Amino acid sequence: MSVITASAEVELRGVHKSFGHTAVLSGIDLTIKPQEVVCVIGPSGSGKSTMLRCINHLEQIDAGEIRIDGELIGYRAVGDRLQGLSESDIAAQRVAIGMVFQRFNLFAHKTALGNVMEAPVQVLGRDRAQVRAEAIELLERVGLSGRIDHYPHQLSGGQQQRVAIARALAMKPRVMLFDEPTSALDPELVGEVLEVMKELAASGMTMIVVTHEIAFAKEVADIVVFMDGGVIVEQGPPEAVLVHPQHERTRAFLRRVL
Amino acid sequence: MTSPTRTTPIRTADGVLRRVVPARHPWRTVFSIVIVLFALLAVGVLITNPNFEWSVVAKYVLAPQIVSGVGLAIMLTVVAMVLGTALGTVVAIMRISANPVIAAAAWVYVWFFRGTPLLVQLVFWYNLAILFPKFSLGSLTLDANELITPIVASILGLTLNQGAYMAEIVRAGIVSVDPGQVEAAKALGMRGSKVMRRIVLPQALRVIIPPAGNETITMLKSTSLVSVVAVADLMYQVNVISAQTFQTIPILIVATLWYLAITSVMSVGQAWLERHFSARPTARNSGLRRMVRGTATPRDAEAPAAATAAVEIVTEEAREGGDGR
């Protein structure tokens, strides 16, 4: 898709995160180069979704740092401290980071078109007519030109998720985060969403995809990351991680899901 | 009585074609008769008892004092509801604040104004001048008795009381919205205030409107309390007239009729608003718009059509069964 204007590099270094006394991320190091597609797999509770949510600061990290194109996310280095950014500064950083949720989270009171137009108009303050034209084009690209005036409850799960992707793309993000985008879908609707994601990957978007779709990871990912117990157990090209895994934990997981 | 579902015969397992007859409810019939008898009795009393003095009711129902009292009651209701809802929304947002001091302040406000009688609050605001005889704002000094007129005291009392109730209602509406909506909005770069205004509150309305409608009706009736602080509302005028004429019952009937008439109109408005802001946003097409344009959405049309088709199939089969015998 030609909507991509720039593609970002994402860096996580020594990222730790706990909920209360439960450590969820215990030192994550990961570098994603521009235009790379990274698929994150692993058992539930392994911290993959939390890692994704830390990247756009929906969760605050306890230690380490996350950078997008070198810019620290959520904090500003002031002398020897990391100063938490104000709400509006964090909001401004999130503009560059698109996110697609497991449960779609389309705005229930707005049509498909309204969902896609909301942020460019309200956050970027862009001209309505121009945003509308782009939104219609985006919805067309995800195969929903006939559904632009439908409300979320009138759309299937697969259609809702495609609207959600269009909604994220409307902000012209430099990186896209997908949090188990097909896990809430009926099996026959998974394909249409993966198809849109494949096109997006082919167009050069930097993508981080938390997924259970091993076949998708094998086909589309540049790097597959296997997480377990809050750490990255192994990472590498799909062939290496999915076909010739080095660690027993990876092998055990793949035996269960394949 | 010849609806197809009732008269359609069904072939039971023993091969006999049997007519379907609905279950009988003899006690419902008995109870209905008793209710109708009581209703007739009540109407009879209303007509035959001369002490109701319907001619006096007719004389006063559109009397200028009464109409101005009605106008004042409606004005107080509208002003206090608008201000109370605005105040309640602010307090509701304060109550869910991450800052404990702000949240506690909102809690204390609700605790106090919900926990004391409205009548006491109204009398308190009316007598504020005893507590603070003068208000000073820079070089400007105002006499409390001039500033807090009976009307101002009434609006203050009703608004502050209503704000406490609306705060709880709005808060319930806000927490009813799926947290995923907030996350999605934040992920798109929206700031908190915009998320609240554009995403959360519009969806909270569905939960807010039914109790807010009830509150409006309660508010109309609560305005009758302002008569104790010498505001010439409907109840005040009723008291004045009955003190002069000693026709207490017919004048009270006049007030009753007016309150009932206004609350009836409000109920209709509430029902329409509820449909307009229902969980399914297309319901907007089934409310006023459909009444105006006479158009139905395809979804509305599908269901009855399918139901009719099903009934037709049943009757077809029954007929075939009947022929085969």
Side-chain angles (χ1 to χ4, degrees):
Chain A
M1 285 177 219
S2 65
V3 287
I4 293 147
T5 48
S7 195
E9 179 169 84
V10 182
E11 267 183 288
L12 290 81
R13 267 209 293 268
V15 171
H16 284 73
K17 170 73 186 171
S18 303
F19 291 118
H21 293 295
T22 315
V24 185
L25 298 178
S26 311
I28 299 287
D29 293 291
L30 182 62
T31 302
I32 299 129
K33 297 199 185 67
Q35 309 207 345
E36 263 183 359
V37 176
V38 172
C39 283
V40 185
I41 59 170
S44 47
S46 58
K48 18 185 228 307
S49 285
T50 305
M51 179 184 82
L52 207 62
R53 294 163 58 82
C54 286
I55 293 173
N56 69 350
H57 210 63
L58 282 179
E59 305 286 356
Q60 293 181 28
I61 62 176
D62 301 332
E65 61 178 37
I66 296 172
R67 288 176 188 272
I68 292 182
D69 285 341
E71 185 185 352
L72 211 50
I73 295 297
Y75 301 92
R76 186 175 53 224
V78 182
D80 59 350
R81 290 176 304 145
L82 280 182
Q83 176 84 48
L85 289 181
S86 72
E87 203 201 337
S88 53
D89 287 341
I90 291 168
Q93 287 187 331
R94 286 186 182 131
V95 168
I97 313 165
M99 185 159 191
V100 173
F101 297 86
Q102 181 179 352
R103 301 210 41 82
F104 329 134
N105 296 348
L106 288 184
F107 302 135
H109 60 308
K110 295 194 171 291
T111 60
L113 186 61
N115 267 276
V116 179
M117 288 176 64
E118 179 69 13
V121 172
Q122 292 297 326
V123 177
L124 303 178
R126 294 182 49 206
D127 173 56
R128 278 194 81 85
Q130 201 189 345
V131 169
R132 194 186 146 86
E134 281 182 22
I136 290 171
E137 199 184 334
L138 273 169
L139 285 167
E140 221 163 82
R141 290 223 170 114
V142 298
L144 290 171
S145 46
R147 296 276 187 280
I148 62 172
D149 289 326
H150 285 53
Y151 285 91
H153 71 90
Q154 297 170 312
L155 299 170
S156 73
Q159 291 170 337
Q160 288 189 55
Q161 195 61 299
R162 286 185 280 151
V163 174
I165 293 171
R167 176 176 71 174
L169 291 177
M171 294 298 278
K172 301 188 166 76
R174 287 180 282 144
V175 53
M176 285 281 287
L177 313 176
F178 293 85
D179 188 5
E180 302 196 25
T182 58
S183 297
L185 295 177
D186 291 336
E188 79 269 23
L189 303 177
V190 169
E192 62 191 60
V193 172
L194 292 182
E195 208 50 51
V196 169
M197 291 168 62
K198 273 181 211 167
E199 272 179 48
L200 191 59
S203 74
M205 175 66 82
T206 307
M207 289 165 62
I208 307 174
V209 185
V210 170
T211 187
H212 293 294
E213 300 291 332
I214 304 294
F216 173 80
K218 207 175 272 178
E219 184 186 338
V220 180
D222 297 302
I223 291 176
V224 173
V225 171
F226 173 72
M227 281 180 75
D228 193 12
V231 295
I232 293 177
V233 176
E234 66 181 294
Q235 57 174 300
E239 178 78 3
V241 177
L242 297 173
V243 185
H244 308 292
Q246 300 299 305
H247 290 258
E248 177 47 36
R249 277 198 281 180
T250 317
R251 282 196 283 269
F253 173 75
L254 288 171
R255 270 199 301 275
R256 278 202 307 277
V257 297
L258 286 177
Chain B
M1 278 293 117
T2 53
S3 85
T5 45
R6 284 196 180 186
T7 54
T8 303
I10 290 176
R11 190 177 298 283
T12 49
D14 54 8
V16 183
L17 203 60
R18 290 189 160 91
R19 187 166 294 285
V20 177
V21 177
R24 295 182 199 289
H25 300 282
W27 282 108
R28 287 187 196 167
T29 315
V30 171
F31 202 55
S32 306
I33 291 169
V34 171
I35 290 171
V36 169
L37 284 177
F38 269 106
L40 287 174
L41 197 68
V43 171
V45 167
L46 282 176
I47 293 169
T48 56
N49 188 335
N51 295 334
F52 281 108
E53 298 186 82
W54 291 103
S55 59
V56 179
V57 172
K59 182 179 155 199
Y60 279 105
V61 78
L62 289 175
Q65 298 119 290
I66 294 289
V67 172
S68 91
V70 168
L72 197 60
I74 293 175
M75 186 279 280
L76 282 173
T77 304
V78 171
V79 171
M81 278 313 291
V82 169
L83 295 178
T85 305
L87 178 64
T89 306
V90 172
V91 174
I93 293 168
M94 285 170 68
R95 271 207 72 177
I96 51 176
S97 166
N99 182 321
V101 176
I102 293 173
W107 182 87
V108 167
Y109 164 77
V110 173
W111 168 77
F112 184 82
F113 284 94
R114 216 171 49 155
T116 52
L118 176 56
L119 187 59
V120 174
Q121 291 173 29
L122 284 169
V123 176
F124 176 85
W125 291 115
Y126 183 60
N127 291 305
L128 195 67
I130 302 171
L131 212 52
F132 304 103
K134 295 217 181 301
F135 288 103
S136 295
L137 202 81
S139 60
L140 188 74
T141 303
L142 287 166
D143 188 53
N145 275 323
E146 282 170 26
L147 190 68
I148 313 286
T149 61
I151 279 282
V152 171
S154 304
I155 290 173
L156 258 178
L158 293 172
T159 299
L160 288 170
N161 188 262
Q162 195 54 43
Y165 283 95
M166 286 309 293
E168 289 298 280
I169 290 169
V170 173
R171 187 172 67 104
I174 289 173
V175 300
S176 78
V177 176
D178 176 11
Q181 298 280 311
V182 176
E183 286 199 340
K186 280 186 174 175
L188 286 164
M190 281 196 197
R191 283 185 296 145
S193 54
K194 201 156 251 178
V195 175
M196 186 56 73
R197 210 158 34 79
R198 299 280 313 173
I199 306 300
V200 176
L201 285 178
Q203 295 187 61
L205 277 181
R206 180 174 58 83
V207 171
I208 293 172
I209 282 173
N214 287 340
E215 287 296 313
T216 311
I217 286 170
T218 306
M219 172 60 78
L220 175 76
K221 295 180 292 179
S222 301
T223 58
S224 64
L225 291 173
V226 304
S227 58
V228 302
V229 294
V231 172
D233 82 314
L234 178 54
M235 202 57 209
Y236 180 91
Q237 301 289 12
V238 163
N239 287 335
V240 168
I241 296 172
S242 37
Q244 289 164 354
T245 65
F246 301 107
Q247 291 163 317
T248 309
I249 293 293
I251 306 295
L252 276 178
I253 290 175
V254 169
T256 309
L257 290 176
W258 270 111
Y259 282 121
L260 269 178
I262 303 167
T263 53
S264 303
V265 171
M266 285 178 176
S267 301
V268 172
Q270 182 187 357
W272 181 79
L273 278 176
E274 278 175 28
R275 219 170 328 129
H276 187 80
F277 287 100
S278 72
R280 303 289 186 215
T282 42
R284 280 171 198 184
N285 298 326
S286 66
L288 192 66
R289 275 185 213 178
R290 189 165 62 176
M291 275 196 280
V292 174
R293 293 189 198 153
T295 55
T297 61
R299 284 193 153 223
D300 293 336
E302 272 166 26
T308 320
V311 168
E312 273 164 15
I313 290 164
V314 169
T315 21
E316 288 280 328
E317 281 171 3
R319 211 170 289 137
E320 277 168 27
D323 291 340
R325 208 148 66 115

